[in-house]
């Protein structure tokens, strides 16, 4: 199925909310949705209100902001995409952190920080944003995960914090999908592996030989996957080609 046949055929009506929409992949998703003529609301660290997963009240405040916009516009929340995530960076105390090659490099502060941003933050999104989805009709909540979070696909080891945080996110998605189905049987809640995308997150680790794609290409692929998800696929983990990824 081609992108033209799926992503551009019949864009869903309603509001798209992209969390992390100011990052590389998130910005490309917002751009693609806008090109398709769809309404998009972007929230992130630089938005008003700001979304900061290290500050739990900001998640609730952003959800309230979306709820108010839905009330004013009469729209429904048709698609929620959480495009946040960290692999490397700086801790609040200024120390750099990155993927561990060995258990000897595990740092409890870095582990807690990565868990906060990659798993706990999205869990708070589930708490505050999923109740905004309508109780009937096809709607989608998608969380950007990573294949390295797959326990079944882990053959190389290393990257303890990132792997564990994405595995935790996958379990959260699976669990939320079960609860969401009790509210709306047609609602879909899925985890997505975008492949290796040319963004600041992956650039230091994009080895030669990997299929590194521009964010615009990855965004087009992921939206095609979301548009073509069949009924009954909620709670699953898909890659950028729509193939299921083992847990």
């Amino acid at each position: 199925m081609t992108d033209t046949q799926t992503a551009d055929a019949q864009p869903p009506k309603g509001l798209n909310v992209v969390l992390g929409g100011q990052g590389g992949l998130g910005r490309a998703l917002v751009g693609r949705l806008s090109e398709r003529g769809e309404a998009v609301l972007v929230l992130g660290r630089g938005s008003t209100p700001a979304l900061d997963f290290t500050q739990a009240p900001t998640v609730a405040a952003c959800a309230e902001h979306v709820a108010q916009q839905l009330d004013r516009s009469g729209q429904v929340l048709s698609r929620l995409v959480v495009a946040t995530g960290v692999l490397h960076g700086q801790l609040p105390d200024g120390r750099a952190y990155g993927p561990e090659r060995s258990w000897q490099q595990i740092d409890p502060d870095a582990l807690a920080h990565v868990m906060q941003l990659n798993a706990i933050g999205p869990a708070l999104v589930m708490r505050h944003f999923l109740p905004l989805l309508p109780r009937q009709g096809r709607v989608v909540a998608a969380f950007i995960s990573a294949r390295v979070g797959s326990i079944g696909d882990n053959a190389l080891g290393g990257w303890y914090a990132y792997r564990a945080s994405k595995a935790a996110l996958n379990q959260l998605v699976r669990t939320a999908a079960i609860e969401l189905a009790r509210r709306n049987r047609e609602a879909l809640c899925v985890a997505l592996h975008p492949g290796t995308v040319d963004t600041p997150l992956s650039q230091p680790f994009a080895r030669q030989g990997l299929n590194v794609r521009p964010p615009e290409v990855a965004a087009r692929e992921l939206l095609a996957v979301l548009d073509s998800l069949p009924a009954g696929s909620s709670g699953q983990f898909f890659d950028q080609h729509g193939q299921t990824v083992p847990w």
Side-chain angles (χ1 to χ4, degrees):
M1 189 174 294
T2 67
D3 178 50
T4 301
Q5 292 172 318
T6 56
D8 295 330
Q10 292 182 331
K13 297 178 181 179
L15 180 67
N16 295 271
V17 172
V18 180
L19 305 185
Q22 296 159 332
L25 178 58
R27 188 165 54 249
L29 286 165
V30 171
R32 181 61 175 165
L33 288 166
S34 298
E35 289 173 2
R36 289 165 43 159
E38 300 190 43
V40 189
L41 175 62
V42 181
L43 291 167
R45 286 181 176 270
S47 65
T48 302
L51 178 72
D52 183 350
F53 284 168
T54 67
Q55 303 294 325
T58 69
V59 183
C62 284
E64 178 61 26
H65 176 72
V66 172
Q68 292 174 0
Q69 174 149 331
L70 294 173
D71 286 341
R72 288 194 301 267
S73 67
Q75 293 173 303
V76 297
L77 177 56
S78 60
R79 186 187 287 114
L80 171 68
V81 180
V82 181
T84 58
V86 296
L87 173 59
H88 57 93
Q90 283 190 328
L91 297 175
D93 63 10
R95 287 184 294 138
Y97 69 91
E100 311 89 344
R101 296 189 178 205
S102 164
W103 57 55
Q104 294 178 333
Q105 296 176 327
I106 293 175
D107 179 281
D109 295 330
L111 181 60
H113 182 73
V114 174
M115 279 287 186
Q116 180 71 44
L117 296 180
N118 287 352
I120 297 174
L124 293 173
V125 170
M126 294 170 184
R127 174 182 175 180
H128 294 292
F129 280 80
L130 293 187
L132 302 180
L133 292 170
R135 288 182 173 269
Q136 61 183 4
R138 186 186 190 276
V139 293
V140 179
F143 294 78
I144 301 300
S145 185
R147 188 181 294 273
V148 295
S150 166
I151 295 174
D153 193 56
N154 184 359
L156 297 176
W159 292 36
Y160 285 85
Y162 191 67
R163 286 186 187 276
S165 66
K166 290 300 188 178
L169 173 62
N170 292 344
Q171 180 67 284
L172 289 165
V173 169
R174 178 75 170 182
T175 304
I178 295 170
E179 184 171 357
L180 186 61
R182 298 178 187 139
R183 293 171 48 89
N184 180 353
R185 291 183 179 228
E186 295 180 73
L188 302 173
C189 182
V190 298
L192 292 177
H193 167 64
T196 305
V197 185
D198 186 14
T199 65
L201 182 145
S202 64
Q203 282 170 354
F205 311 99
R207 302 187 308 273
Q208 186 175 6
L210 290 179
N211 181 23
V212 181
R213 287 129 44 252
E216 294 76 17
V217 172
R220 190 164 61 247
E221 293 171 342
L222 292 178
L223 289 176
V225 171
L226 292 181
D227 288 340
S228 60
L229 288 175
S233 59
S234 190
Q236 296 187 39
F237 185 12
F238 296 94
D239 70 9
Q240 70 273 29
H241 305 299
Q243 301 299 310
T244 56
V245 181
W247 295 117

